[in-house]
Amino acid sequence: MSAALDEFCGSVFWNASYLARPDADLPVCFQQTVLVWVPLGFFWILAPWQLLPMCRSRTKKSSVTKLYIIKQVLATLLMLTAVAELALAFVEDTEQNPLPAVLYTNPSLYIATWLLVLLIHDARRFCLCRDSGVLFCFWALSLLCGILPFQSLLRRALQEPISDVPRFVLFFIFYGLQLLLFLVSGCSDIAPETKEITKKVRGPCGIWLGEISLLHSTVFKGYRKPLEVEDVWELKDKDKTRAIYTTFEKNMKTAVKKAQAELEKRKRKRRRQEGDHGNNMSKAQSQDVLVLEEKQPKKKKKGNKEDASLRKDFPRGWLVKTLCKTFWQNLLMSVAFKLVHDGLVFVSPQLLKLLIAFVSDEESFVWQGYLYAILLFLTALIQSLCLQQYFSLCFQLGTNVRASLIAAIYKKALTMSSTTRKESTVGETVNLMSADAQRFMDMTNFVHQLWSSPLQIILSIVFLWGELGPSVLAGIAVMVLLIPINGFLVAKAKTIQVSGGWKILPGEHPLTLVIPQILKLFAWEPSFEKRVNEIRARELKNLVNFSYLQSISIFVFTCAPFLVSLASFAVYVLVDENNILDAQKAFTAISLFNVLRFPMAMLPLVLSSLVQTNVSTARLERYLGGEDMDTSAIHHNPIAGRWTSRSATFAWEQDGNAAIRDITLDIVPGSLVAVVGAVGSGKSSLVSAMLGEMENVKGHINIQGSLAYVPQQAWIQNATLKDNILFGSELDEARYQQVIKACALLPDLALLPAGDQTEIGEKGINLSGGQKQRVSLARAVYSNADIYILDDPLSAVDAHVGKYLFEHVLGPKGLLQNKTRILVTHSISFLPQVDNIVVLVAGAVSEHGSYSTLLANRGAFAQFLNTYGSQEENASEKNTPGTGNTGGLRRLEGLKNSTNSLEKAQEEPPKKLKGQQLIEKETVETGKVKFSMYLRYLRAVGLWYSFWVAMGYVAQYVAFVGTNLWLSAWTDDAQHYLNQTYPVEQRDLRIGVFGALGVSQALFLLFATILSAQGAVRASRVMHQQLLSNILRVPMSFFDTTPTGRIVNRFAKDIFTIDETIPMSFRSWLSCFMAIISTLLMICLATPFFALVIIPLSIFYYFVLRFYVSTSRQLRRLDSVTRSPIYSHFGETVSGLSVIRAYGHQERFLQQNENTMDINQKTVYSWIISNRWLAIRLEFVGSLVVFFSALLAVISKGTLEGGIVGLSVSSALNVTQTLNWLVRTSSELETNIVAVERVYEYTKVKNEAPWVTEKRPPRGWPSKGEIQFVDYKVRYRPELELVLQGITCNIGSTEKVGVVGRTGAGKSSLTNCLFRVLEAAGGSIFIDEVDIATIGLHDLRQNLTIIPQDPVLFTGTLRMNLDPFDQYTDEEVWKALELAHLKTYVQTLPEGLLHLVSEGGENLSVGQRQLVCLARALLRKAKILILDEATAAVDLETDHLIQTTIRSEFADCTVLTIAHRLHTIMDSNRVLVLQAGRIVEYDSPEELLQKQGVFSSMAKDAGITATESTPL
């Protein structure tokens, strides 16, 4: 081979003696062949792919740019140089001295190559990205290979005159042109017409340089001002959720099919095993047996488990396969990059070894040293590029996996059958999305560690064995021993977290369970504070233990590297006299041990994460493999507007009991059909069956035309009111106005701050129940469907509104008169006007026909009328809020504000900000965190603590430097004692001191971490205490404008951050900082000139850090801000599924979900790339540190020992990681310290008046219970109008006064004023001659009693709900229960008074809750009692009981009743009628009825006549 090449070049191809001299050089032939052909080979292999766009592309070429022209000109010039060289060869070639072949072949190859380059430049004009990565790499490679001929030509020219001038000149022209092309192709070339697109699309064109240069612009932008979502690039089409999900879904379908087939096989096999006892039955019978067995899992028989598993079994094992199939390209590329990186990791220690040998060897040539330094630099550089490319791919994979999973979950939710839906709550489903998909994302980032870690471990051990022989096993044994110790500590920490019920979850925080208003009205704050502080104390105790464990595990982790090297070196030296530790061995071993640490630490983590991902996989497979909704029973045969059903029988779950049986109905188009029946007779089930939400048993339903559906509980989206009504349809202004008018929404729009542009909070929180219902109705009416299914829409609105809606919308003259309407209703008053009535009893139709026919039949319906009709003679009285199943509605409002009487909610928006938004936007902190926050935190920790922690870290790193210097001195002994025996006592001293220094290093760290743990707990205690005591003292208005979720977030998430994350961040920041300082110190000790290099490097580093941290912080914030809409939109969709399906809007919601996700994806992408931007720059700094430490060692060769060089370069090799970490921890610390800021913000909220003042009321006040209002005015907030406009009235002692008024008249404001929830804007209130504004809030509130509109209970015992302060004896409590008619019920409970009340009192009925509140009032027995529509949610019988109790027990008290049902106040002494904040009438009810004023007209609406005003 070599001979052939010799002939080809006409000179020697290879001769080793060329290198064995100080001015080494490569043979000319080698330069002409290998160095030319390597880059060309690379190029020719990859070039054809670059030409593909020419053949395939349908797009037309983009226009010519300046850059393009420059590239083509340069390439043409290159071609000309090649042509000139070829011509030169022909000219010189004569018979006498023929030229070697190489002078012909190379120029010819080059001509072909440059032609191809010209073609590629042209082909790239078809692409959006006109730069070619292949060309860029080719230029780089060509330039690198050209350096060698370049330097040898120069050296020769300097030594002697140039022999071949033309070729000499041509080479330098050629090299210069290539350099220019390299620089030009690094800039991104964008055609003017595609500029806009490329600006938006992520990842600019091309090459790393391009990508990273464009990132520059984002990073600079992020540094100058906080980034907004608009500043982030758009995704490329292939990265959009839709594109990713389409491929994923295709693969998923095939995989799930296979998996379901497997599942069937498993089931059959199992049946066969069990079927032995069923052999004599027919197949159908044995199926029945199976069904029966499944229905009775209670029988403890052996088959039981199998049956359960048969039902619980689901298609398995398809998810991971699908993911691999979808993303295989990404996986392959990342494997390739990771392999290159893992290989290069082991090159550095070998180079280090050569470098140390070079320094120790007097004979070696200088050029070798420079070569090693350059190679070290290049290895580090390529390693970092590969690693970053790999990480980038992994993170992209992660986000894409998450996107496809979330999209799949969302789509599944829309098509899922009701049985599958029952298996998981909304919360669990949202969890699938947030937790499980996230877990997959985290796993994909490290999935390659599964093969890479073992590979690295094996390689390290192999190389170490080469250095130290078997004594390596000692070091590895130590490592392996440390793994279980660490595992034990982790497990212990986990048990602490679990056992302590440690960390209150956001949903379980006491604050969410207590509605602030109730605390204020009953003056219970101190008791509540005490309770929270007890919980907190337990929490902190666990936190301390947890932190101590953490310190120990950090201690173990720090000891690890040093113990490993100690064990290995000690064993190596002690085993054999002749083993002397020299620098090469020691430092190569140390750098290999450092390599080993990472995979050793990662492997257990990855495995445990794999286990968790397994759980998630199972959950996702069960959910995504579940059954879809089966709507085959709903036919759509063309009989216009007809609705028919033939013996339809439906059940809620397969094989369950039928909820509706044999329903056969024909509904004429355009008729109004009422469905009536007692509670639980299957009215709502019938509706669900029509919508296809139930499992069909037999029969079918035929629906012709489009559907609109109004559910019983209105489903409102978090959007503007207008969007809620349009629901994705086009806006037709005239019809829209007509609908709004018909649905009685005009008065509400006038009240809302921004009319129909008002933003409605989640679950419609700023609308009252009635408003929500009307919006829901308006949505249906606007949709202009053929068939309307209305599930009791009138139950949530007041009587007169119900009447209005019936007349204008539903009734024979309403907007929908020509449509088919199916109306489920409780209200009897409308029945005479409907065309047809269907009476349901126990899920079957008992009779149907018109009103008159049914009355004549004297069947169930006639009885029903007799029972209820008497109570509702001429008014639909039952249609007041809170009857039927509207408890849920009422509870939603309760979330907003406990005594949020409907009209308060209705008049609430105007007292909100003048803007459209109900809730002030949560401030996203922008910009740099103020330094004062760090100080505030350190002050909370305690300044002495902080000082000593810092000192501990300093001491640790002093010991660290000491250890390393001692090691380097130890290795130099090998030189000093050359050819002598090594003294034993010297050896033992070396090992002993090395050990002692290492141990002291770990001990200092232990001291620092334990101190910091105590300090951190102290800070947590202080901050939580300040936050809690302040939040309990803020005025009510604060809770109105701040969602509970946000306050709880401060207590849960931010306090959690202060408890755990900030101390960790501070610690890692400190240790990173110290590690870098100590490394730089050691390098400076070895080569003092390095100090000069540090200065420019640290300036560069600082700038990169500042730029990056600000951008990264903003991108993180954008990520979390754009992520929550995904989950909230999902939660909303799941709760409104039946509505979305009924209207057939699944596609629109899928689309919306994809858009929401894309917005989140693009911030995540930018964050990933900005991390890469940073990492490449930082690792470049790291590589420079390595390069200079090696270079300086080479330069000062004669003066240095091998040991100190080894120390300096091996430290430098480690510094890259640490530099990276320092930036990470800095940005993490900045992100987390925001929590301190947020908590601090809430400790500064303005407080309400003091709880107790100097002026205390007399003992036993109020003794009479007289109330005087003197020209009393009040407004909700300074900038708003008055709500009560100068009220003056007297309420005598023991008088019973009813307060009435239309919605928004200010009834509830009146009670709020008595309790000083609202402070006066003018005038005053006197109770028993004491001005209530002069006494403390608690003195006032403890002496008034209220039974709030919404019965509020909180988690805890029944007794605690009645008497949180333990002020009363058990007898008194029982007495109160007896009077409240609860005694018998409580006695039947196993725990009696200690019965646990669940969240919000869910385990008591609404009526019972109301009675508990009554008992609470009876216990306090104050002189003044306020009833805020206390009986709205109670059936008539209980209502009667409550009224009697109040009459008898509170006979000697002053009672104010705020009423919605006028019946309840007809027996008051006097009635106070409010209108628009003024008193319009105030007299006894009899007088007012005669008067024909406001009151009598209200009474007429409610169907009360003067004759009927007798007490209930």
Side-chain angles (χ1 to χ4, degrees), residues 843-886:
V845 177
S846 74
E847 44 186 341
H848 69 101
S850 66
Y851 187 72
S852 42
T853 359
L854 291 184
L855 270 185
N857 283 355
R858 295 238 162 266
F861 177 68
Q863 284 169 354
F864 177 75
L865 274 189
N866 293 338
T867 329
Y868 289 100
S870 56
Q871 288 163 12
E872 309 196 5
E873 247 37 300
N874 21 12
S876 105
E877 216 348 46
K878 272 216 77 177
N879 277 343
T880 45
T883 43
N885 327 11
T886 52

Side-chain angles (χ1 to χ4, degrees), residues 259-321:
Q260 269 165 343
E262 300 268 304
L263 176 69
E264 281 308 309
K265 264 190 211 148
R266 282 204 299 273
K267 281 191 175 165
R268 271 206 298 279
K269 192 171 164 200
R270 232 176 259 150
R271 284 198 186 125
R272 225 175 283 125
Q273 287 166 0
E274 291 168 19
D276 298 342
H277 62 258
N279 281 343
N280 46 6
M281 303 188 243
S282 70
K283 188 159 180 232
Q285 274 177 311
S286 63
Q287 290 280 347
D288 288 342
V289 171
L290 260 171
V291 170
L292 282 173
E293 281 176 1
E294 282 182 29
K295 272 195 199 153
Q296 316 160 322
K298 294 279 181 306
K299 287 188 191 158
K300 286 272 183 285
K301 60 177 190 357
K302 215 177 99 199
N304 178 24
K305 270 201 182 107
E306 288 177 351
D307 278 333
S309 60
L310 192 72
R311 211 176 32 248
K312 285 281 172 262
D313 208 353
F314 54 92
R316 293 204 170 118
W318 54 268
L319 185 59
V320 177
K321 284 182 205 158

Side-chain angles (χ1 to χ4, degrees), residues 1201-1244:
E1201 298 281 351
I1204 197 87
V1205 171
L1207 171 63
S1208 119
V1209 179
S1210 66
S1211 318
L1213 283 173
N1214 238 355
V1215 83
T1216 317
Q1217 282 321 65
T1218 330
L1219 283 174
N1220 231 332
W1221 268 114
L1222 182 65
V1223 174
R1224 287 286 148 77
T1225 47
S1226 310
S1227 88
E1228 203 179 281
L1229 190 56
E1230 277 211 7
T1231 315
N1232 289 330
I1233 206 82
V1234 173
V1236 176
E1237 200 165 357
R1238 289 162 50 120
V1239 168
Y1240 178 68
E1241 175 196 348
Y1242 275 17
T1243 55
K1244 284 288 157 277

